[in-house]
Coordinates of all heavy atoms in Angstrom, one line a residue:
M1 N -68.4 1.7 14.9 CA -69.5 1.2 14.0 C -69.2 -0.3 13.8 O -68.1 -0.7 13.4 CB -69.4 2.0 12.7 CG -70.6 1.7 11.8 SD -70.5 2.8 10.4 CE -72.0 3.6 10.6
P2 N -70.2 -1.1 14.0 CA -70.0 -2.6 13.9 C -69.9 -2.9 12.4 O -70.5 -2.3 11.5 CB -71.3 -3.2 14.5 CG -72.3 -2.1 14.6 CD -71.5 -0.8 14.5
S3 N -69.0 -3.9 12.1 CA -68.8 -4.3 10.7 C -70.0 -5.2 10.3 O -70.6 -5.9 11.1 CB -67.5 -5.0 10.6 OG -67.5 -6.2 11.3
K4 N -70.2 -5.2 9.0 CA -71.3 -6.1 8.5 C -70.8 -7.5 8.6 O -69.6 -7.8 8.2 CB -71.6 -5.8 7.1 CG -72.5 -4.7 6.9 CD -72.9 -4.6 5.4 CE -74.1 -3.8 5.2 NZ -74.5 -3.7 3.8
M5 N -71.6 -8.4 9.1 CA -71.2 -9.8 9.2 C -71.7 -10.5 7.9 O -72.9 -10.4 7.6 CB -71.7 -10.4 10.4 CG -71.1 -9.9 11.7 SD -71.5 -10.8 13.1 CE -70.7 -12.3 12.8
V6 N -70.9 -11.2 7.3 CA -71.3 -12.0 6.1 C -71.6 -13.4 6.6 O -70.9 -14.0 7.4 CB -70.1 -12.1 5.1 CG1 -70.5 -13.0 3.9 CG2 -69.7 -10.7 4.7
P7 N -72.8 -13.8 6.3 CA -73.2 -15.2 6.8 C -72.2 -16.2 6.2 O -71.7 -16.2 5.1 CB -74.6 -15.4 6.2 CG -74.9 -14.3 5.2 CD -73.8 -13.3 5.4
H8 N -71.9 -17.2 7.1 CA -71.0 -18.3 6.7 C -71.6 -19.1 5.7 O -72.8 -19.6 5.8 CB -70.7 -19.1 8.0 CG -69.9 -20.3 7.7 ND1 -68.6 -20.2 7.2 CD2 -70.1 -21.6 7.8 CE1 -68.1 -21.4 7.1 NE2 -69.0 -22.3 7.4
R9 N -70.9 -19.4 4.6 CA -71.4 -20.2 3.5 C -70.7 -21.5 3.6 O -69.5 -21.6 3.3 CB -71.2 -19.5 2.2 CG -71.9 -18.2 2.1 CD -71.6 -17.6 0.8 NE -72.5 -18.3 -0.2 CZ -73.2 -17.7 -1.1 NH1 -73.1 -16.4 -1.2 NH2 -73.9 -18.3 -2.0
P10 N -71.4 -22.6 3.9 CA -70.7 -23.9 4.1 C -70.4 -24.5 2.7 O -71.0 -25.5 2.3 CB -71.7 -24.7 4.9 CG -73.0 -24.1 4.5 CD -72.8 -22.6 4.2
T11 N -69.5 -24.0 1.9 CA -69.2 -24.5 0.6 C -68.6 -25.9 0.6 O -69.0 -26.7 -0.3 CB -68.3 -23.5 -0.2 OG1 -67.1 -23.3 0.6 CG2 -69.0 -22.2 -0.5
I12 N -67.8 -26.1 1.6 CA -67.2 -27.5 1.6 C -68.3 -28.5 2.0 O -68.3 -29.6 1.3 CB -66.1 -27.5 2.7 CG1 -64.9 -26.7 2.2 CG2 -65.6 -29.0 2.9 CD1 -63.8 -26.5 3.2
A13 N -69.1 -28.2 2.9 CA -70.2 -29.1 3.3 C -71.1 -29.3 2.1 O -71.6 -30.5 1.8 CB -71.0 -28.6 4.5
L14 N -71.4 -28.3 1.3 CA -72.3 -28.4 0.2 C -71.6 -29.3 -0.9 O -72.3 -30.1 -1.6 CB -72.7 -27.0 -0.4 CG -73.6 -26.2 0.4 CD1 -73.8 -24.9 -0.2 CD2 -75.0 -27.0 0.6
S15 N -70.3 -29.1 -1.1 CA -69.7 -29.9 -2.1 C -69.6 -31.4 -1.7 O -69.7 -32.3 -2.5 CB -68.3 -29.4 -2.4 OG -67.4 -29.6 -1.4
I16 N -69.4 -31.6 -0.4 CA -69.4 -33.0 0.1 C -70.8 -33.6 -0.1 O -71.0 -34.8 -0.5 CB -69.0 -33.1 1.6 CG1 -67.5 -32.7 1.7 CG2 -69.3 -34.4 2.2 CD1 -67.0 -32.6 3.1
L17 N -71.9 -32.8 0.3 CA -73.2 -33.3 0.1 C -73.5 -33.6 -1.4 O -74.2 -34.6 -1.7 CB -74.2 -32.3 0.6 CG -74.3 -32.2 2.2 CD1 -75.2 -31.1 2.6 CD2 -74.7 -33.6 2.8
G18 N -73.0 -32.7 -2.3 CA -73.2 -33.0 -3.7 C -72.5 -34.2 -4.2 O -73.1 -35.0 -5.0
H19 N -71.3 -34.4 -3.7 CA -70.6 -35.6 -4.0 C -71.3 -36.9 -3.6 O -71.4 -37.9 -4.3 CB -69.2 -35.5 -3.4 CG -68.3 -36.8 -3.7 ND1 -67.8 -37.0 -4.9 CD2 -68.0 -37.8 -2.8 CE1 -67.1 -38.2 -4.8 NE2 -67.2 -38.6 -3.6
L20 N -71.8 -36.9 -2.3 CA -72.5 -38.0 -1.8 C -73.8 -38.3 -2.6 O -74.1 -39.4 -2.8 CB -72.8 -37.8 -0.3 CG -71.6 -37.8 0.6 CD1 -72.0 -37.5 2.0 CD2 -70.8 -39.1 0.5
R21 N -74.4 -37.2 -3.0 CA -75.7 -37.3 -3.8 C -75.3 -38.0 -5.1 O -76.1 -38.9 -5.6 CB -76.3 -36.0 -4.0 CG -77.7 -36.0 -4.4 CD -78.3 -34.6 -4.4 NE -78.1 -33.9 -3.2 CZ -77.5 -32.7 -3.2 NH1 -77.0 -32.1 -4.2 NH2 -77.3 -32.1 -2.0
Q22 N -74.2 -37.6 -5.8 CA -73.8 -38.2 -7.0 C -73.5 -39.7 -6.9 O -73.8 -40.5 -7.7 CB -72.6 -37.5 -7.6 CG -72.9 -36.1 -8.1 CD -71.7 -35.4 -8.6 OE1 -70.6 -35.7 -8.2 NE2 -71.9 -34.3 -9.4
R23 N -72.8 -40.0 -5.8 CA -72.4 -41.4 -5.5 C -73.7 -42.3 -5.3 O -73.8 -43.4 -5.9 CB -71.5 -41.5 -4.3 CG -70.1 -41.0 -4.6 CD -69.2 -41.3 -3.5 NE -69.1 -42.7 -3.3 CZ -68.2 -43.3 -2.5 NH1 -67.4 -42.6 -1.8 NH2 -68.2 -44.6 -2.4
R24 N -74.7 -41.7 -4.6 CA -75.9 -42.5 -4.4 C -76.7 -42.7 -5.7 O -77.2 -43.7 -6.0 CB -76.8 -41.8 -3.4 CG -76.4 -42.0 -2.0 CD -77.5 -41.6 -1.0 NE -77.7 -40.2 -1.1 CZ -77.1 -39.2 -0.4 NH1 -76.1 -39.5 0.4 NH2 -77.5 -37.9 -0.6
A25 N -76.7 -41.6 -6.6 CA -77.3 -41.7 -7.9 C -76.6 -42.8 -8.8 O -77.3 -43.6 -9.4 CB -77.3 -40.4 -8.6
M26 N -75.3 -42.8 -8.8 CA -74.5 -43.8 -9.5 C -74.8 -45.2 -9.0 O -75.0 -46.1 -9.8 CB -73.0 -43.5 -9.5 CG -72.2 -44.4 -10.4 SD -72.7 -44.5 -12.1 CE -72.0 -43.0 -12.7
A27 N -74.8 -45.4 -7.7 CA -75.1 -46.7 -7.2 C -76.5 -47.2 -7.6 O -76.7 -48.3 -7.9 CB -75.0 -46.7 -5.6
A28 N -77.5 -46.3 -7.5 CA -78.8 -46.6 -7.9 C -78.9 -47.0 -9.4 O -79.6 -47.9 -9.8 CB -79.8 -45.5 -7.6
L29 N -78.2 -46.3 -10.3 CA -78.1 -46.6 -11.7 C -77.5 -47.9 -11.9 O -78.0 -48.7 -12.7 CB -77.3 -45.5 -12.4 CG -77.1 -45.7 -13.9 CD1 -78.4 -45.6 -14.7 CD2 -76.1 -44.7 -14.5
L30 N -76.4 -48.2 -11.3 CA -75.8 -49.5 -11.5 C -76.7 -50.7 -11.0 O -76.7 -51.8 -11.5 CB -74.4 -49.6 -10.7 CG -73.3 -48.7 -11.3 CD1 -72.1 -48.7 -10.4 CD2 -73.0 -49.2 -12.7
E31 N -77.4 -50.4 -9.9 CA -78.3 -51.4 -9.4 C -79.5 -51.7 -10.4 O -79.9 -52.9 -10.5 CB -78.9 -50.9 -8.1 CG -79.2 -52.0 -7.1 CD -79.6 -51.4 -5.8 OE1 -78.7 -51.1 -5.0 OE2 -80.8 -51.3 -5.5
R32 N -79.9 -50.7 -11.1 CA -81.0 -50.9 -12.1 C -80.5 -51.5 -13.4 O -81.3 -52.0 -14.2 CB -81.7 -49.5 -12.4 CG -82.5 -49.0 -11.3 CD -83.3 -47.8 -11.8 NE -82.6 -46.8 -12.5 CZ -82.1 -45.7 -12.0 NH1 -82.2 -45.5 -10.7 NH2 -81.4 -44.8 -12.7
S33 N -79.2 -51.4 -13.7 CA -78.7 -51.8 -15.0 C -78.7 -53.3 -15.1 O -78.4 -54.0 -14.1 CB -77.3 -51.3 -15.1 OG -76.8 -51.7 -16.4
R34 N -79.2 -53.8 -16.2 CA -79.2 -55.3 -16.4 C -77.9 -55.8 -16.8 O -77.5 -57.0 -16.5 CB -80.1 -55.6 -17.7 CG -81.6 -55.5 -17.4 CD -82.4 -55.9 -18.7 NE -82.1 -57.3 -19.0 CZ -81.6 -57.7 -20.2 NH1 -81.3 -56.9 -21.1 NH2 -81.4 -59.0 -20.4
V35 N -77.0 -55.0 -17.5 CA -75.8 -55.5 -18.0 C -74.6 -54.8 -17.3 O -74.6 -53.5 -17.3 CB -75.7 -55.2 -19.5 CG1 -74.4 -55.7 -20.1 CG2 -76.8 -55.8 -20.3
Q36 N -73.7 -55.5 -16.8 CA -72.6 -55.0 -16.1 C -71.3 -55.6 -16.6 O -71.3 -56.9 -16.7 CB -72.7 -55.1 -14.6 CG -73.8 -54.3 -14.0 CD -73.9 -54.5 -12.5 OE1 -73.1 -55.1 -11.9 NE2 -74.9 -53.8 -11.9
A37 N -70.3 -54.8 -16.9 CA -69.0 -55.4 -17.4 C -68.3 -56.0 -16.3 O -68.2 -55.4 -15.2 CB -68.2 -54.3 -18.1
A38 N -67.8 -57.2 -16.5 CA -67.0 -57.9 -15.4 C -65.5 -57.9 -15.8 O -64.7 -57.8 -14.9 CB -67.6 -59.3 -15.2
A39 N -65.2 -58.1 -17.0 CA -63.7 -58.2 -17.4 C -63.6 -58.1 -18.9 O -64.6 -58.4 -19.7 CB -63.2 -59.6 -16.9
R40 N -62.4 -57.8 -19.4 CA -62.1 -57.7 -20.8 C -61.1 -58.8 -21.1 O -60.2 -59.1 -20.3 CB -61.4 -56.4 -21.1 CG -62.2 -55.4 -21.8 CD -61.3 -54.3 -22.2 NE -62.0 -53.1 -21.7 CZ -61.5 -51.9 -21.8 NH1 -60.4 -51.7 -22.4 NH2 -62.2 -50.9 -21.3
K41 N -61.3 -59.5 -22.2 CA -60.4 -60.6 -22.6 C -60.1 -60.5 -24.0 O -60.9 -60.1 -24.8 CB -61.0 -62.0 -22.3 CG -61.3 -62.2 -20.8 CD -61.7 -63.6 -20.5 CE -61.9 -63.7 -19.0 NZ -61.3 -64.9 -18.5
A42 N -58.9 -61.0 -24.4 CA -58.5 -61.1 -25.8 C -58.5 -62.5 -26.2 O -57.7 -63.3 -25.7 CB -57.2 -60.4 -26.1
G43 N -59.3 -62.9 -27.2 CA -59.3 -64.3 -27.7 C -58.4 -64.3 -28.9 O -57.7 -63.4 -29.3
S44 N -58.4 -65.5 -29.6 CA -57.6 -65.6 -30.8 C -58.1 -64.8 -32.0 O -57.3 -64.4 -32.8 CB -57.5 -67.1 -31.1 OG -58.8 -67.6 -31.4
E45 N -59.4 -64.6 -32.0 CA -59.9 -63.9 -33.2 C -60.4 -62.5 -32.9 O -60.2 -61.6 -33.7 CB -61.1 -64.7 -33.7 CG -60.8 -66.0 -34.2 CD -62.0 -66.8 -34.7 OE1 -63.0 -66.2 -34.9 OE2 -61.8 -68.0 -34.9
A46 N -60.9 -62.2 -31.7 CA -61.5 -60.9 -31.4 C -61.4 -60.6 -29.9 O -61.3 -61.5 -29.1 CB -62.9 -60.8 -31.9
R47 N -61.6 -59.4 -29.6 CA -61.6 -59.0 -28.1 C -63.1 -59.2 -27.7 O -64.0 -58.8 -28.4 CB -61.3 -57.5 -28.0 CG -59.8 -57.3 -28.3 CD -59.5 -55.9 -27.9 NE -59.3 -55.8 -26.5 CZ -58.4 -55.2 -25.9 NH1 -57.5 -54.6 -26.6 NH2 -58.3 -55.2 -24.6
F48 N -63.2 -59.8 -26.6 CA -64.6 -59.9 -26.0 C -64.6 -59.6 -24.5 O -63.5 -59.4 -23.9 CB -65.1 -61.4 -26.2 CG -64.3 -62.4 -25.6 CD1 -64.6 -62.9 -24.3 CD2 -63.2 -63.0 -26.2 CE1 -63.8 -63.9 -23.7 CE2 -62.5 -64.0 -25.6 CZ -62.8 -64.4 -24.4
H49 N -65.7 -59.3 -24.0 CA -65.9 -58.9 -22.7 C -66.7 -59.9 -21.9 O -67.7 -60.4 -22.4 CB -66.6 -57.5 -22.6 CG -65.9 -56.5 -23.4 ND1 -65.0 -55.6 -22.9 CD2 -65.9 -56.2 -24.7 CE1 -64.5 -54.8 -23.8 NE2 -65.1 -55.1 -25.0
R50 N -66.4 -60.1 -20.7 CA -67.2 -60.9 -19.8 C -68.2 -59.9 -19.1 O -67.8 -59.0 -18.5 CB -66.4 -61.6 -18.7 CG -67.3 -62.4 -17.8 CD -66.8 -63.7 -17.4 NE -66.3 -64.5 -18.5 CZ -65.5 -65.5 -18.3 NH1 -65.0 -65.8 -17.1 NH2 -65.0 -66.3 -19.3
V51 N -69.5 -60.2 -19.3 CA -70.5 -59.3 -18.8 C -71.5 -60.1 -17.9 O -71.6 -61.4 -18.1 CB -71.3 -58.6 -19.9 CG1 -70.5 -57.7 -20.7 CG2 -72.0 -59.6 -20.8
T52 N -72.1 -59.5 -17.0 CA -73.1 -60.1 -16.1 C -74.4 -59.6 -16.5 O -74.7 -58.3 -16.5 CB -72.8 -59.8 -14.7 OG1 -71.5 -60.2 -14.4 CG2 -73.8 -60.5 -13.8
V53 N -75.3 -60.5 -16.9 CA -76.7 -60.1 -17.3 C -77.6 -60.8 -16.3 O -77.7 -62.0 -16.3 CB -77.0 -60.5 -18.7 CG1 -78.5 -60.1 -19.1 CG2 -76.0 -59.9 -19.7
D54 N -78.4 -60.0 -15.5 CA -79.3 -60.6 -14.5 C -78.7 -61.7 -13.7 O -79.2 -62.8 -13.4 CB -80.5 -61.1 -15.2 CG -81.3 -60.0 -15.9 OD1 -81.3 -58.9 -15.4 OD2 -82.0 -60.3 -16.9
G55 N -77.4 -61.5 -13.3 CA -76.7 -62.4 -12.4 C -76.0 -63.6 -13.0 O -75.3 -64.3 -12.4
Q56 N -76.1 -63.7 -14.4 CA -75.4 -64.8 -15.1 C -74.3 -64.2 -16.0 O -74.5 -63.1 -16.6 CB -76.4 -65.5 -16.0 CG -75.8 -66.7 -16.6 CD -75.5 -67.9 -15.7 OE1 -74.9 -67.7 -14.7 NE2 -75.9 -69.0 -16.0
E57 N -73.1 -64.8 -16.0 CA -72.0 -64.3 -16.8 C -72.0 -64.8 -18.2 O -72.2 -66.0 -18.4 CB -70.7 -64.6 -16.1 CG -70.5 -63.8 -14.8 CD -69.1 -63.9 -14.3 OE1 -68.3 -64.8 -14.7 OE2 -68.8 -63.1 -13.4
Y58 N -71.6 -64.0 -19.2 CA -71.5 -64.3 -20.6 C -70.3 -63.6 -21.2 O -69.9 -62.6 -20.7 CB -72.7 -63.8 -21.4 CG -74.1 -64.4 -20.9 CD1 -74.8 -63.7 -19.9 CD2 -74.6 -65.5 -21.5 CE1 -76.0 -64.3 -19.5 CE2 -75.8 -66.0 -21.1 CZ -76.5 -65.4 -20.1 OH -77.7 -65.9 -19.6
D59 N -69.7 -64.2 -22.2 CA -68.7 -63.6 -23.0 C -69.3 -63.0 -24.2 O -70.0 -63.7 -25.0 CB -67.6 -64.6 -23.4 CG -66.7 -65.1 -22.3 OD1 -66.6 -64.3 -21.3 OD2 -66.2 -66.2 -22.3
A60 N -69.1 -61.6 -24.4 CA -69.8 -61.0 -25.5 C -68.9 -60.0 -26.2 O -68.0 -59.5 -25.6 CB -71.0 -60.2 -24.9
L61 N -69.1 -59.8 -27.5 CA -68.4 -58.8 -28.3 C -69.0 -57.4 -28.0 O -70.1 -57.3 -27.5 CB -68.5 -59.2 -29.8 CG -67.8 -60.5 -30.1 CD1 -68.2 -60.9 -31.6 CD2 -66.3 -60.4 -29.9
P62 N -68.3 -56.4 -28.3 CA -68.8 -55.0 -28.0 C -70.2 -54.7 -28.6 O -71.0 -54.1 -28.0 CB -67.7 -54.1 -28.6 CG -66.5 -54.9 -28.5 CD -66.9 -56.3 -28.8
H63 N -70.4 -55.2 -29.9 CA -71.7 -54.9 -30.5 C -72.8 -55.7 -29.8 O -74.0 -55.3 -29.7 CB -71.7 -55.2 -32.0 CG -71.6 -56.6 -32.4 ND1 -70.5 -57.3 -32.4 CD2 -72.6 -57.5 -32.7 CE1 -70.7 -58.6 -32.8 NE2 -72.0 -58.7 -32.9
E64 N -72.5 -56.9 -29.2 CA -73.5 -57.6 -28.5 C -73.8 -57.0 -27.1 O -75.0 -57.0 -26.7 CB -73.0 -59.1 -28.2 CG -72.9 -59.9 -29.5 CD -72.1 -61.2 -29.4 OE1 -71.2 -61.3 -28.5 OE2 -72.5 -62.1 -30.1
I65 N -72.8 -56.3 -26.5 CA -73.1 -55.6 -25.3 C -74.1 -54.5 -25.5 O -75.0 -54.2 -24.7 CB -71.8 -55.1 -24.7 CG1 -70.9 -56.2 -24.3 CG2 -72.0 -54.2 -23.5 CD1 -69.5 -55.8 -23.9
I66 N -73.9 -53.8 -26.6 CA -74.9 -52.7 -27.0 C -76.3 -53.3 -27.1 O -77.2 -52.7 -26.6 CB -74.4 -52.0 -28.3 CG1 -73.1 -51.2 -28.0 CG2 -75.5 -51.0 -28.8 CD1 -72.4 -50.7 -29.2
L67 N -76.4 -54.4 -27.8 CA -77.7 -55.0 -28.0 C -78.3 -55.5 -26.6 O -79.5 -55.3 -26.4 CB -77.6 -56.2 -29.0 CG -77.3 -55.8 -30.4 CD1 -77.1 -57.0 -31.3 CD2 -78.4 -54.9 -31.0
L68 N -77.4 -56.1 -25.8 CA -77.9 -56.5 -24.4 C -78.4 -55.3 -23.6 O -79.4 -55.4 -23.0 CB -76.8 -57.2 -23.7 CG -76.4 -58.6 -24.2 CD1 -75.1 -59.0 -23.5 CD2 -77.5 -59.6 -23.9
D69 N -77.7 -54.2 -23.7 CA -78.0 -53.0 -22.9 C -79.3 -52.4 -23.5 O -80.1 -51.8 -22.7 CB -76.9 -52.0 -23.0 CG -76.9 -51.1 -21.8 OD1 -77.3 -51.5 -20.7 OD2 -76.6 -49.9 -22.0
A70 N -79.6 -52.6 -24.7 CA -80.8 -52.1 -25.4 C -82.0 -53.0 -25.0 O -83.1 -52.6 -25.4 CB -80.6 -52.0 -26.9
G71 N -81.8 -54.1 -24.4 CA -83.0 -54.9 -24.0 C -83.0 -56.3 -24.6 O -83.9 -57.1 -24.2
R72 N -82.1 -56.6 -25.5 CA -82.2 -58.0 -26.1 C -81.7 -59.0 -25.0 O -80.9 -58.7 -24.2 CB -81.2 -58.1 -27.3 CG -81.5 -57.1 -28.4 CD -82.6 -57.5 -29.3 NE -82.4 -58.8 -30.0 CZ -81.8 -58.9 -31.2 NH1 -81.4 -57.9 -31.8 NH2 -81.7 -60.1 -31.7
S73 N -82.2 -60.2 -25.1 CA -81.8 -61.2 -24.1 C -80.5 -62.0 -24.7 O -80.3 -62.0 -25.9 CB -82.9 -62.2 -23.9 OG -83.1 -63.1 -25.0
P74 N -79.8 -62.6 -23.8 CA -78.6 -63.4 -24.3 C -79.1 -64.5 -25.2 O -78.4 -64.9 -26.2 CB -78.0 -63.9 -23.0 CG -78.4 -63.0 -21.9 CD -79.8 -62.5 -22.4
D75 N -80.2 -65.1 -25.0 CA -80.8 -66.2 -25.9 C -81.0 -65.6 -27.3 O -80.7 -66.3 -28.3 CB -82.1 -66.7 -25.3 CG -81.8 -67.6 -24.0 OD1 -80.7 -68.1 -23.9 OD2 -82.8 -67.7 -23.2
D76 N -81.5 -64.4 -27.4 CA -81.8 -63.8 -28.7 C -80.5 -63.7 -29.5 O -80.5 -63.8 -30.7 CB -82.3 -62.4 -28.5 CG -83.7 -62.3 -28.0 OD1 -84.4 -63.4 -28.0 OD2 -84.2 -61.2 -27.5
L77 N -79.3 -63.4 -28.8 CA -78.1 -63.2 -29.4 C -77.3 -64.5 -29.6 O -76.2 -64.5 -30.1 CB -77.2 -62.2 -28.7 CG -77.9 -60.8 -28.5 CD1 -77.0 -59.9 -27.7 CD2 -78.1 -60.2 -29.9
G78 N -77.8 -65.6 -29.0 CA -77.1 -66.9 -29.1 C -76.0 -67.0 -28.1 O -75.1 -67.9 -28.3
L79 N -76.0 -66.2 -27.0 CA -74.9 -66.3 -26.0 C -75.2 -67.4 -25.1 O -76.3 -67.6 -24.7 CB -74.8 -65.0 -25.3 CG -74.4 -63.8 -26.2 CD1 -74.4 -62.5 -25.3 CD2 -73.1 -63.9 -26.8
K80 N -74.2 -68.1 -24.7 CA -74.3 -69.2 -23.7 C -73.6 -68.8 -22.4 O -72.6 -68.1 -22.4 CB -73.6 -70.5 -24.2 CG -74.1 -71.0 -25.5 CD -75.5 -71.5 -25.3 CE -76.1 -72.1 -26.6 NZ -77.5 -72.0 -26.7
P81 N -74.2 -69.1 -21.3 CA -73.6 -68.7 -20.0 C -72.2 -69.3 -19.9 O -71.9 -70.4 -20.4 CB -74.5 -69.3 -18.9 CG -75.8 -69.6 -19.6 CD -75.5 -69.8 -21.1
V82 N -71.3 -68.6 -19.2 CA -69.9 -69.1 -19.0 C -69.9 -70.3 -18.1 O -70.7 -70.3 -17.1 CB -69.0 -68.0 -18.4 CG1 -67.6 -68.5 -18.1 CG2 -68.9 -66.8 -19.4
G83 N -69.2 -71.3 -18.4 CA -69.1 -72.5 -17.6 C -70.1 -73.6 -18.0 O -70.1 -74.7 -17.5
N84 N -71.0 -73.3 -19.0 CA -72.0 -74.3 -19.5 C -71.6 -74.8 -20.8 O -71.0 -74.2 -21.6 CB -73.4 -73.8 -19.5 CG -74.0 -73.5 -18.1 OD1 -73.4 -74.0 -17.1 ND2 -75.0 -72.8 -18.1

C-alpha cells in the first residue's frame, strides 16, 4: 500500500519572503519619513539629537523631535540648520 505523501511546505522560503517583505516595508517607511535621527550628542545643559529634516540637519531636543515628526517645521520651532 503506498504511503500518503504530505505536500512539501516551504516554511523556510516563506519566512525569507516574509522577512524581505518586512525589510521593503521598513525601507519605504523611512523614505516617506520627514525626520530621521542622525546622531545623539550631550551638550553642557541638555542632551540633543542631530536630525535630518527634508535633507537639512538640525540639533533638536527630544520634545522638538516629536513636534517635527508631527508636522511642525524647523522654522516654527526656531531651529537653525547646522553649520549656519
Side-chain angles (χ1 to χ4, degrees):
M1 191 174 238
S3 64
K4 278 189 164 180
M5 293 190 67
V6 177
H8 175 65
R9 297 181 80 136
T11 55
I12 293 174
L14 288 176
S15 71
I16 291 172
L17 288 174
H19 176 73
L20 293 174
R21 199 173 308 121
Q22 287 175 343
R23 288 187 63 171
R24 282 193 298 271
M26 182 57 79
L29 176 68
L30 289 174
E31 216 172 274
R32 287 192 310 265
S33 180
R34 283 183 64 238
V35 181
Q36 295 182 0
R40 258 187 231 178
K41 297 191 178 224
S44 58
E45 297 176 14
R47 293 186 78 133
F48 60 92
H49 303 266
R50 176 138 316 155
V51 296
T52 303
V53 180
D54 297 332
Q56 186 70 314
E57 290 190 347
Y58 299 89
D59 288 333
L61 295 170
H63 71 277
E64 293 170 328
I65 295 171
I66 293 169
L67 293 172
L68 288 168
D69 204 34
R72 302 279 301 269
S73 74
D75 290 335
D76 292 343
L77 302 175
L79 299 176
K80 302 289 182 208
V82 175
N84 290 345

